[in-house]
Amino acid sequence: MAEPLMQIQGLESGYGEIQVLWGIDLEVHEQELVSLIGSNGAGKTTLLKTISGLVPPTNGSVLIDGEEYAGRRPDQMLTAGVAQVPEGRRLFRTMSVRDNLLMGAYMRPQNDPGIREDYERVMAMFPRLAERARQDAGTLSGGEQQMCAIGRGIMGRPRLLMIDELSLGLAPRAVEMLIESLLELNRAGVAILLVEQDVATALDLAHRAYVVDRGRIAMSGTARELADAPEVREAYMGI
Amino acid sequence: MLYLQVLINGLVLGGLYACIAVGFSLVWGVLNVINILHGSFVILGSYVAYFAYVHLGIHPFYSIILAGAVLFALGYALQLGLINRVVGAPVLTTLVLTFGLDLLLNNAMLVAFSADYRSIQLANPLGRMDLGEVTLPLDRVASMLFALGLTGLLYLLLGRSRIGRAIVAVRMDREAAALMGVRVRRVYAITFGVGAMMAGAAGSLLALIFPISPLNSSEFLGIAFVVCVMGGLGSITGAMIGGLALGVIESFAALFIGPEHGLTIAFTLLILLLMFKPTGIMGRRGYE
Ligand SMILES: Nc1ncnc2c1ncn2[C@@H]1O[C@H](COP(=O)(O)OP(=O)(O)O)[C@@H](O)[C@H]1O
Ligand SMILES: [Mg+2]
């Protein structure tokens, strides 16, 4: 198999004295859609933040194309092609939808004609945003905010987009739309690392998946394998 | 006509107050640091203008650039070297740090420049213009226009430029801004530098109007504080409106109650305003 886009080995991190991750091994290949599942407080968000450079790792390695990126700053991770859509959307509330999307392209040269192209692409992907481009982001509904957050991630033109809690608190119809868009994005060649509390959906979408439990990887495999595993069905799908 | 004259004097003063306050407000809003150094920054800007005029013959209007550059460099270095270490700490910690730094800077200025009041006597003042019964003191009016112009420039910088958008993003959500690739610590340093730059530019303009002495720093700090609380934190338009309002209130209070009480009355009225409208003139939006 080709070299993974991102390969994580023995990653440890936490907040001050509190260690949260205890040696995570995980990889994402080009164009793959990988889901991370696990109960509340398992450390999924901390893992994404450690990868994206918001939380410094205390140990372990994050290889992008074989090069060491553990402990780099978020802007360096973006340059390497790794972007994160944070839990809770975290839009810039009193900026317009358009300005939020342009913030996503902050790292790119301002005269890059690709920015305009990607902006149009996001608008085509989420027509609801096009209607509301001039509105403050804080006035959007939850689903629209998630569209805007994902669009903002896309505007950095990442090769790997990490999304923390896609469907949390959103109406089922909005979730369906978002999933369609994610699949489209993935087919267009962007790898996705998805944290999703709805385990059935997470496994339905993904090629492969990992189960995070108390800061460790408890299980991994193809989405199919995990969906069929009795442990997963019992612990996370309530079957 | 007397009232019109007082109004004009108040607006002239208020434009300068806006320029003093806007940098203080920016730093408070973005870094959540109450910068006690701000008054001394203004004074340092005045001294730059004073010495540039006395020794080099540079008009204070041109010294805006010089004073702004000197103060930007000082502010940037202070933030990167010292204040960045305590950003995010409880507000009392940052308050104590900037208070300590202010003692250092203010005393250094006392040693270097003495407490004597100095003032710039322009060789070629613009004089006054009489419009009926109203008189425009032209140098002061020009200072005020420069002050408002600079404040407007800052507004444009924040709204239109790349670094401006980064500053606004950091103010709203530091972590989300970092995820966009904004280098937050550098933005903090630039923000603090810009705050100091605005203070320096204001000081340069004030050198034409007020006597210059390190002893005045607390008055300027007080003005910045009140304008900024009144207008709403981190809001440029708020600082602009708040500054103009303070200047006008001060002028009328001086007329009705006596010139020595102008600022006291103005501050008292503001406390009353805040009791009834605690979010400031611009309301909640200023906080976001
Ligand atoms: N900023 C923080 N400071 C201290 N502890 C934190 C912080 N954020 C999360 N934690 C702790 O880290 C653990 C993992 O949290 P998190 O990564 O958010 O889990 P998940 O995203 O899987 O729900 C939890 O025990 C949580 O309390
Ligand atoms: Mg989480």
Side-chain angles (χ1 to χ4, degrees), chain A residues 49 52 54 73-75 78 84 86 90-95 99 102-104 106-108 110 136 152, chain B residues 159-163 165-166 168-173 175-183 187 285 288:
Chain A
K49 284 185 174 179
S52 64
L54 287 178
R73 296 186 309 263
D75 57 298
L78 282 166
Q84 182 189 347
R90 307 285 285 268
L91 296 178
F92 303 111
R93 298 179 59 81
T94 56
M95 281 190 203
D99 286 350
L102 290 179
M103 272 312 292
Y106 178 78
M107 293 291 292
R108 299 164 68 175
Q110 277 188 304
D136 280 4
R152 192 174 64 172
Chain B
R160 303 278 168 82
S161 69
R162 181 176 134 94
I163 181 65
R165 277 188 286 121
V168 174
V170 168
R171 184 176 87 201
M172 288 187 204
D173 189 332
E175 210 171 63
L179 285 178
M180 304 298 111
V182 175
R183 296 183 60 181
V187 166
R285 238 185 112 92
E288 287 173 357

Side-chain angles (χ1 to χ4, degrees), chain A residues 45 87 164-165:
Chain A
T45 296
E87 186 172 353
D164 200 354
E165 303 291 5

Side-chain angles (χ1 to χ4, degrees), chain B residues 81-239:
Chain B
L82 281 172
I83 303 173
N84 259 342
R85 292 165 198 269
V86 298
V87 166
V91 88
L92 192 59
T93 310
T94 57
L95 201 67
V96 168
L97 177 62
T98 60
F99 181 73
L101 289 171
D102 184 54
L103 285 180
L104 276 177
L105 177 60
N106 204 265
N107 282 294
M109 286 196 293
L110 277 172
V111 171
F113 310 134
S114 86
D116 295 346
Y117 283 90
R118 302 174 201 232
S119 60
I120 292 180
Q121 303 302 330
L122 286 178
N124 300 302
L126 294 176
R128 341 190 123 253
M129 190 163 84
D130 289 316
L131 294 174
E133 290 168 52
V134 178
T135 309
L136 293 183
L138 290 182
D139 281 309
R140 287 179 170 231
V141 171
S143 299
M144 177 257 211
L145 292 178
F146 270 112
L148 287 181
L150 285 170
T151 310
L153 272 182
L154 181 63
Y155 184 80
L156 288 183
L157 173 93
L158 287 182
R160 303 278 168 82
S161 69
R162 181 176 134 94
I163 181 65
R165 277 188 286 121
I167 290 173
V168 174
V170 168
R171 184 176 87 201
M172 288 187 204
D173 189 332
R174 182 161 66 112
E175 210 171 63
L179 285 178
M180 304 298 111
V182 175
R183 296 183 60 181
V184 175
R185 289 183 160 264
R186 187 181 284 179
V187 166
Y188 281 159
I190 291 172
T191 305
F192 200 80
V194 169
M197 181 179 81
M198 292 303 291
S204 188
L205 293 168
L206 288 168
L208 276 176
I209 296 173
F210 289 112
I212 307 160
S213 162
L215 301 178
N216 280 348
S217 76
S218 58
E219 186 179 328
F220 293 139
L221 177 65
I223 288 167
F225 191 87
V226 167
V227 167
C228 162
V229 170
M230 179 168 66
L233 282 188
S235 152
I236 307 278
T237 35

Side-chain angles (χ1 to χ4, degrees), chain A residues 3-231:
Chain A
E3 183 176 62
L5 193 170
M6 175 168 80
Q7 180 163 31
I8 294 173
Q9 281 167 337
L11 193 64
E12 298 182 9
S13 82
Y15 306 90
E17 300 282 279
I18 311 159
Q19 183 164 354
V20 175
L21 301 183
W22 298 83
I24 297 280
D25 297 324
L26 172 153
E27 57 188 49
V28 180
H29 291 263
E30 290 292 349
Q31 316 201 350
E32 226 183 356
L33 204 167
V34 176
S35 283
L36 277 181
I37 58 180
S39 42
N40 251 339
K44 306 179 295 294
T45 296
T46 304
L47 175 55
L48 295 199
K49 284 185 174 179
T50 308
I51 297 171
S52 64
L54 287 178
V55 173
T58 47
N59 220 333
S61 113
V62 177
L63 301 179
I64 308 290
D65 297 327
E67 197 186 324
E68 183 58 73
Y69 271 83
R72 299 278 185 102
R73 296 186 309 263
D75 57 298
Q76 293 170 311
M77 298 311 294
L78 282 166
T79 308
V82 180
Q84 182 189 347
V85 177
E87 186 172 353
R89 279 86 74 172
R90 307 285 285 268
L91 296 178
F92 303 111
R93 298 179 59 81
T94 56
M95 281 190 203
S96 67
V97 169
R98 178 172 174 278
D99 286 350
N100 266 276
L101 292 175
L102 290 179
M103 272 312 292
Y106 178 78
M107 293 291 292
R108 299 164 68 175
Q110 277 188 304
N111 53 6
D112 179 353
I115 294 180
R116 175 100 231 154
E117 266 166 44
D118 287 345
Y119 183 78
E120 297 302 335
R121 205 159 62 110
V122 171
M123 288 300 164
M125 190 179 240
F126 303 115
R128 297 272 284 277
L129 291 185
E131 292 163 26
R132 290 163 172 69
R134 300 192 168 279
Q135 252 169 262
D136 280 4
T139 65
L140 299 179
S141 73
E144 291 160 355
Q145 289 194 15
Q146 188 66 287
M147 292 172 200
C148 189
I150 290 172
R152 192 174 64 172
I154 295 173
M155 291 295 292
R157 219 177 242 199
R159 295 157 61 211
L160 169 61
L161 187 62
M162 306 191 290
I163 301 173
D164 200 354
E165 303 291 5
L166 179 73
S167 74
L168 198 63
L170 302 184
R173 280 209 40 215
V175 176
E176 258 170 54
M177 264 200 73
L178 286 163
I179 287 173
E180 276 310 310
S181 318
L182 275 199
L183 290 174
E184 185 188 324
L185 187 67
N186 182 237
R187 279 194 297 269
V190 179
I192 292 173
L193 180 58
L194 177 70
V195 171
E196 172 53 49
Q197 38 94 37
D198 177 357
V199 173
T201 302
L203 295 179
D204 192 35
L205 296 177
H207 303 122
R208 290 189 307 112
Y210 293 83
V211 179
V212 184
D213 184 28
R214 281 162 290 176
R216 295 183 170 82
I217 299 294
M219 284 177 80
S220 67
T222 64
R224 193 67 233 219
E225 284 163 5
L226 290 189
D228 290 340
E231 303 93 311

